[in-house]
mmCIF file of all heavy atoms in Angstrom:
data_model
loop_
_atom_site.group_PDB
_atom_site.id
_atom_site.type_symbol
_atom_site.label_atom_id
_atom_site.label_comp_id
_atom_site.label_asym_id
_atom_site.label_seq_id
_atom_site.Cartn_x
_atom_site.Cartn_y
_atom_site.Cartn_z
ATOM 1 N N SER A 1 76.322 118.429 113.195
ATOM 2 C CA SER A 1 75.203 118.087 114.105
ATOM 3 C C SER A 1 75.343 118.912 115.401
ATOM 4 O O SER A 1 76.399 119.248 115.840
ATOM 5 C CB SER A 1 75.240 116.610 114.396
ATOM 6 O OG SER A 1 74.321 116.328 115.434
ATOM 7 N N GLN A 2 74.176 119.256 115.978
ATOM 8 C CA GLN A 2 74.144 119.894 117.221
ATOM 9 C C GLN A 2 74.389 118.980 118.408
ATOM 10 O O GLN A 2 74.349 119.393 119.534
ATOM 11 C CB GLN A 2 72.796 120.653 117.441
ATOM 12 C CG GLN A 2 72.532 121.751 116.377
ATOM 13 C CD GLN A 2 73.458 122.889 116.561
ATOM 14 O OE1 GLN A 2 73.827 123.276 117.662
ATOM 15 N NE2 GLN A 2 73.880 123.491 115.439
ATOM 16 N N GLY A 3 74.587 117.729 118.106
ATOM 17 C CA GLY A 3 74.775 116.789 119.187
ATOM 18 C C GLY A 3 73.461 116.201 119.608
ATOM 19 O O GLY A 3 72.437 116.373 118.929
ATOM 20 N N GLY A 4 73.426 115.500 120.706
ATOM 21 C CA GLY A 4 72.131 114.865 121.169
ATOM 22 C C GLY A 4 71.875 113.606 120.419
ATOM 23 O O GLY A 4 72.792 112.942 119.883
ATOM 24 N N ARG A 5 70.637 113.231 120.325
ATOM 25 C CA ARG A 5 70.299 111.967 119.678
ATOM 26 C C ARG A 5 70.410 112.075 118.151
ATOM 27 O O ARG A 5 70.165 113.130 117.577
ATOM 28 C CB ARG A 5 68.956 111.490 120.092
ATOM 29 C CG ARG A 5 67.840 112.102 119.377
ATOM 30 C CD ARG A 5 66.474 111.601 119.938
ATOM 31 N NE ARG A 5 65.484 112.499 119.394
ATOM 32 C CZ ARG A 5 64.616 112.108 118.497
ATOM 33 N NH1 ARG A 5 64.516 110.833 118.112
ATOM 34 N NH2 ARG A 5 63.783 112.969 117.977
ATOM 35 N N ALA A 6 70.835 111.008 117.555
ATOM 36 C CA ALA A 6 70.958 110.968 116.108
ATOM 37 C C ALA A 6 69.579 111.053 115.470
ATOM 38 O O ALA A 6 68.636 110.461 115.969
ATOM 39 C CB ALA A 6 71.656 109.678 115.691
ATOM 40 N N ARG A 7 69.470 111.741 114.417
ATOM 41 C CA ARG A 7 68.202 111.914 113.730
ATOM 42 C C ARG A 7 68.259 111.384 112.294
ATOM 43 O O ARG A 7 69.092 111.785 111.551
ATOM 44 C CB ARG A 7 67.825 113.396 113.613
ATOM 45 C CG ARG A 7 67.706 114.044 114.981
ATOM 46 C CD ARG A 7 67.750 115.503 114.829
ATOM 47 N NE ARG A 7 66.523 116.129 115.219
ATOM 48 C CZ ARG A 7 66.290 117.383 115.004
ATOM 49 N NH1 ARG A 7 67.174 118.165 114.421
ATOM 50 N NH2 ARG A 7 65.188 117.955 115.411
ATOM 51 N N GLY A 8 67.352 110.506 111.967
ATOM 52 C CA GLY A 8 67.119 110.081 110.560
ATOM 53 C C GLY A 8 68.147 109.254 109.869
ATOM 54 O O GLY A 8 67.844 108.762 108.857
ATOM 55 N N GLY A 9 69.340 109.041 110.423
ATOM 56 C CA GLY A 9 70.310 108.220 109.753
ATOM 57 C C GLY A 9 70.964 108.932 108.560
ATOM 58 O O GLY A 9 71.013 110.149 108.500
ATOM 59 N N PRO A 10 71.463 108.173 107.631
ATOM 60 C CA PRO A 10 72.158 108.746 106.458
ATOM 61 C C PRO A 10 71.160 109.537 105.563
ATOM 62 O O PRO A 10 69.972 109.341 105.614
ATOM 63 C CB PRO A 10 72.750 107.536 105.751
ATOM 64 C CG PRO A 10 71.909 106.387 106.166
ATOM 65 C CD PRO A 10 71.417 106.689 107.575
ATOM 66 N N SER A 11 71.764 110.447 104.837
ATOM 67 C CA SER A 11 70.990 111.309 103.933
ATOM 68 C C SER A 11 70.266 110.466 102.885
ATOM 69 O O SER A 11 70.780 109.540 102.335
ATOM 70 C CB SER A 11 71.898 112.294 103.230
ATOM 71 O OG SER A 11 71.204 113.011 102.237
ATOM 72 N N PRO A 12 68.995 110.778 102.709
ATOM 73 C CA PRO A 12 68.207 110.043 101.678
ATOM 74 C C PRO A 12 68.536 110.399 100.274
ATOM 75 O O PRO A 12 68.051 109.793 99.324
ATOM 76 C CB PRO A 12 66.771 110.426 101.990
ATOM 77 C CG PRO A 12 66.850 111.774 102.635
ATOM 78 C CD PRO A 12 68.154 111.808 103.376
ATOM 79 N N THR A 13 69.343 111.468 100.034
ATOM 80 C CA THR A 13 69.732 111.873 98.715
ATOM 81 C C THR A 13 71.236 111.969 98.606
ATOM 82 O O THR A 13 71.947 112.042 99.633
ATOM 83 C CB THR A 13 69.092 113.219 98.330
ATOM 84 O OG1 THR A 13 69.725 114.240 99.137
ATOM 85 C CG2 THR A 13 67.618 113.265 98.541
ATOM 86 N N ASN A 14 71.699 112.059 97.422
ATOM 87 C CA ASN A 14 73.152 112.268 97.204
ATOM 88 C C ASN A 14 73.483 113.688 96.821
ATOM 89 O O ASN A 14 74.607 113.999 96.500
ATOM 90 C CB ASN A 14 73.676 111.322 96.134
ATOM 91 C CG ASN A 14 73.661 109.899 96.565
ATOM 92 O OD1 ASN A 14 73.925 109.630 97.806
ATOM 93 N ND2 ASN A 14 73.416 108.982 95.704
ATOM 94 N N ARG A 15 72.450 114.551 96.851
ATOM 95 C CA ARG A 15 72.676 115.939 96.380
ATOM 96 C C ARG A 15 73.515 116.670 97.462
ATOM 97 O O ARG A 15 73.332 116.527 98.628
ATOM 98 C CB ARG A 15 71.373 116.663 96.112
ATOM 99 C CG ARG A 15 70.662 117.105 97.348
ATOM 100 C CD ARG A 15 69.471 117.987 97.061
ATOM 101 N NE ARG A 15 68.726 118.038 98.291
ATOM 102 C CZ ARG A 15 67.507 117.482 98.495
ATOM 103 N NH1 ARG A 15 66.930 116.877 97.523
ATOM 104 N NH2 ARG A 15 66.975 117.617 99.676
ATOM 105 N N PRO A 16 74.430 117.559 97.002
ATOM 106 C CA PRO A 16 75.203 118.377 97.942
ATOM 107 C C PRO A 16 74.346 119.532 98.451
ATOM 108 O O PRO A 16 73.947 120.408 97.707
ATOM 109 C CB PRO A 16 76.336 118.864 97.045
ATOM 110 C CG PRO A 16 75.824 118.773 95.652
ATOM 111 C CD PRO A 16 74.802 117.684 95.611
ATOM 112 N N LEU A 17 74.074 119.520 99.738
ATOM 113 C CA LEU A 17 73.161 120.478 100.371
ATOM 114 C C LEU A 17 73.615 121.953 100.158
ATOM 115 O O LEU A 17 72.930 122.803 99.678
ATOM 116 C CB LEU A 17 72.983 120.197 101.851
ATOM 117 C CG LEU A 17 72.130 121.187 102.613
ATOM 118 C CD1 LEU A 17 70.699 121.190 102.068
ATOM 119 C CD2 LEU A 17 72.169 120.893 104.106
ATOM 120 N N ARG A 18 74.895 122.212 100.520
ATOM 121 C CA ARG A 18 75.396 123.571 100.446
ATOM 122 C C ARG A 18 75.412 124.083 99.010
ATOM 123 O O ARG A 18 75.009 125.229 98.734
ATOM 124 C CB ARG A 18 76.753 123.670 101.087
ATOM 125 C CG ARG A 18 76.676 123.515 102.612
ATOM 126 C CD ARG A 18 78.051 123.397 103.209
ATOM 127 N NE ARG A 18 78.514 122.029 102.869
ATOM 128 C CZ ARG A 18 79.499 121.461 103.440
ATOM 129 N NH1 ARG A 18 80.225 122.044 104.356
ATOM 130 N NH2 ARG A 18 79.900 120.231 103.083
ATOM 131 N N ALA A 19 75.801 123.271 98.078
ATOM 132 C CA ALA A 19 75.849 123.715 96.687
ATOM 133 C C ALA A 19 74.439 123.964 96.159
ATOM 134 O O ALA A 19 74.204 124.877 95.343
ATOM 135 C CB ALA A 19 76.566 122.666 95.794
ATOM 136 N N THR A 20 73.486 123.132 96.557
ATOM 137 C CA THR A 20 72.082 123.312 96.198
ATOM 138 C C THR A 20 71.568 124.676 96.639
ATOM 139 O O THR A 20 70.903 125.382 95.913
ATOM 140 C CB THR A 20 71.216 122.187 96.695
ATOM 141 O OG1 THR A 20 71.751 120.914 96.146
ATOM 142 C CG2 THR A 20 69.806 122.330 96.279
ATOM 143 N N ILE A 21 71.841 124.990 97.907
ATOM 144 C CA ILE A 21 71.363 126.245 98.496
ATOM 145 C C ILE A 21 72.069 127.453 97.808
ATOM 146 O O ILE A 21 71.472 128.441 97.443
ATOM 147 C CB ILE A 21 71.587 126.296 100.005
ATOM 148 C CG1 ILE A 21 70.661 125.234 100.633
ATOM 149 C CG2 ILE A 21 71.319 127.726 100.561
ATOM 150 C CD1 ILE A 21 70.936 125.016 102.135
ATOM 151 N N ALA A 22 73.407 127.307 97.576
ATOM 152 C CA ALA A 22 74.179 128.385 96.961
ATOM 153 C C ALA A 22 73.674 128.677 95.570
ATOM 154 O O ALA A 22 73.615 129.842 95.132
ATOM 155 C CB ALA A 22 75.650 128.106 96.908
ATOM 156 N N ALA A 23 73.282 127.608 94.805
ATOM 157 C CA ALA A 23 72.817 127.805 93.479
ATOM 158 C C ALA A 23 71.445 128.511 93.410
ATOM 159 O O ALA A 23 71.071 129.115 92.364
ATOM 160 C CB ALA A 23 72.706 126.458 92.750
ATOM 161 N N ALA A 24 70.721 128.541 94.503
ATOM 162 C CA ALA A 24 69.413 129.210 94.565
ATOM 163 C C ALA A 24 69.536 130.656 94.958
ATOM 164 O O ALA A 24 68.526 131.361 95.011
ATOM 165 C CB ALA A 24 68.513 128.499 95.529
ATOM 166 N N ILE A 25 70.725 131.153 95.230
ATOM 167 C CA ILE A 25 70.911 132.579 95.608
ATOM 168 C C ILE A 25 70.796 133.404 94.357
ATOM 169 O O ILE A 25 71.503 133.154 93.341
ATOM 170 C CB ILE A 25 72.243 132.799 96.324
ATOM 171 C CG1 ILE A 25 72.254 132.044 97.655
ATOM 172 C CG2 ILE A 25 72.531 134.295 96.528
ATOM 173 C CD1 ILE A 25 73.547 132.058 98.372
ATOM 174 N N ARG A 26 69.923 134.399 94.357
ATOM 175 C CA ARG A 26 69.653 135.213 93.163
ATOM 176 C C ARG A 26 69.944 136.676 93.465
ATOM 177 O O ARG A 26 69.981 137.122 94.603
ATOM 178 C CB ARG A 26 68.164 135.069 92.785
ATOM 179 C CG ARG A 26 67.699 133.701 92.454
ATOM 180 C CD ARG A 26 68.265 133.270 91.082
ATOM 181 N NE ARG A 26 67.604 132.063 90.690
ATOM 182 C CZ ARG A 26 68.178 130.866 90.715
ATOM 183 N NH1 ARG A 26 69.420 130.745 91.075
ATOM 184 N NH2 ARG A 26 67.546 129.776 90.294
ATOM 185 N N LEU A 27 70.102 137.379 92.379
ATOM 186 C CA LEU A 27 70.342 138.863 92.395
ATOM 187 C C LEU A 27 69.280 139.526 91.544
ATOM 188 O O LEU A 27 69.118 139.130 90.359
ATOM 189 C CB LEU A 27 71.720 139.146 91.848
ATOM 190 C CG LEU A 27 72.052 140.622 91.576
ATOM 191 C CD1 LEU A 27 72.059 141.471 92.853
ATOM 192 C CD2 LEU A 27 73.435 140.694 90.968
ATOM 193 N N SER A 28 68.542 140.445 92.064
ATOM 194 C CA SER A 28 67.570 141.216 91.256
ATOM 195 C C SER A 28 67.854 142.678 91.388
ATOM 196 O O SER A 28 68.301 143.141 92.437
ATOM 197 C CB SER A 28 66.127 140.870 91.679
ATOM 198 O OG SER A 28 65.867 141.211 93.017
ATOM 199 N N VAL A 29 67.650 143.408 90.277
ATOM 200 C CA VAL A 29 67.975 144.836 90.226
ATOM 201 C C VAL A 29 66.704 145.586 89.864
ATOM 202 O O VAL A 29 65.929 145.137 89.034
ATOM 203 C CB VAL A 29 69.036 145.076 89.166
ATOM 204 C CG1 VAL A 29 69.301 146.557 88.958
ATOM 205 C CG2 VAL A 29 70.369 144.378 89.583
ATOM 206 N N ARG A 30 66.520 146.746 90.522
ATOM 207 C CA ARG A 30 65.393 147.632 90.224
ATOM 208 C C ARG A 30 65.958 149.000 89.955
ATOM 209 O O ARG A 30 66.760 149.517 90.701
ATOM 210 C CB ARG A 30 64.460 147.627 91.398
ATOM 211 C CG ARG A 30 63.243 148.538 91.169
ATOM 212 C CD ARG A 30 62.227 148.484 92.231
ATOM 213 N NE ARG A 30 62.846 148.517 93.586
ATOM 214 C CZ ARG A 30 62.289 148.141 94.702
ATOM 215 N NH1 ARG A 30 61.070 147.670 94.633
ATOM 216 N NH2 ARG A 30 62.844 148.209 95.843
ATOM 217 N N THR A 31 65.507 149.603 88.827
ATOM 218 C CA THR A 31 65.981 150.962 88.493
ATOM 219 C C THR A 31 64.893 151.988 88.596
ATOM 220 O O THR A 31 65.128 153.188 88.380
ATOM 221 C CB THR A 31 66.542 150.935 87.058
ATOM 222 O OG1 THR A 31 65.515 150.509 86.178
ATOM 223 C CG2 THR A 31 67.791 150.110 86.895
ATOM 224 N N THR A 32 63.647 151.593 88.984
ATOM 225 C CA THR A 32 62.586 152.537 89.143
ATOM 226 C C THR A 32 62.238 152.660 90.603
ATOM 227 O O THR A 32 62.569 151.769 91.385
ATOM 228 C CB THR A 32 61.370 152.139 88.360
ATOM 229 O OG1 THR A 32 60.898 150.824 88.777
ATOM 230 C CG2 THR A 32 61.608 152.059 86.869
ATOM 231 N N GLY A 33 61.509 153.679 90.932
ATOM 232 C CA GLY A 33 61.056 153.836 92.365
ATOM 233 C C GLY A 33 62.289 153.983 93.272
ATOM 234 O O GLY A 33 62.926 155.019 93.337
ATOM 235 N N ASN A 34 62.548 152.933 94.009
ATOM 236 C CA ASN A 34 63.690 152.889 94.962
ATOM 237 C C ASN A 34 64.762 152.017 94.348
ATOM 238 O O ASN A 34 64.797 150.812 94.565
ATOM 239 C CB ASN A 34 63.237 152.344 96.285
ATOM 240 C CG ASN A 34 64.287 152.445 97.347
ATOM 241 O OD1 ASN A 34 65.318 153.143 97.136
ATOM 242 N ND2 ASN A 34 64.120 151.726 98.410
ATOM 243 N N PRO A 35 65.623 152.573 93.471
ATOM 244 C CA PRO A 35 66.617 151.742 92.743
ATOM 245 C C PRO A 35 67.612 151.064 93.718
ATOM 246 O O PRO A 35 67.969 151.563 94.731
ATOM 247 C CB PRO A 35 67.332 152.737 91.796
ATOM 248 C CG PRO A 35 67.038 154.066 92.315
ATOM 249 C CD PRO A 35 65.809 153.992 93.188
ATOM 250 N N GLY A 36 67.995 149.912 93.248
ATOM 251 C CA GLY A 36 69.027 149.203 94.007
ATOM 252 C C GLY A 36 69.007 147.673 93.651
ATOM 253 O O GLY A 36 68.414 147.285 92.703
ATOM 254 N N ALA A 37 69.714 146.933 94.436
ATOM 255 C CA ALA A 37 69.839 145.464 94.197
ATOM 256 C C ALA A 37 69.378 144.696 95.465
ATOM 257 O O ALA A 37 69.494 145.230 96.567
ATOM 258 C CB ALA A 37 71.309 145.078 93.888
ATOM 259 N N ARG A 38 68.886 143.533 95.215
ATOM 260 C CA ARG A 38 68.430 142.654 96.258
ATOM 261 C C ARG A 38 69.018 141.304 96.033
ATOM 262 O O ARG A 38 68.918 140.722 94.906
ATOM 263 C CB ARG A 38 66.925 142.632 96.295
ATOM 264 C CG ARG A 38 66.333 141.857 97.418
ATOM 265 C CD ARG A 38 64.864 141.963 97.414
ATOM 266 N NE ARG A 38 64.339 141.075 96.419
ATOM 267 C CZ ARG A 38 63.347 140.173 96.601
ATOM 268 N NH1 ARG A 38 62.765 140.106 97.771
ATOM 269 N NH2 ARG A 38 62.926 139.422 95.623
#
């Protein structure tokens, strides 16, 4: 928390936030035009 007043109380879900975001990280590759990875 950044400190200050408390916001919202406990999490409304039990999902792990960091793992959820990490699982959404993708890799795409292009071999035409300007080849590379994103």
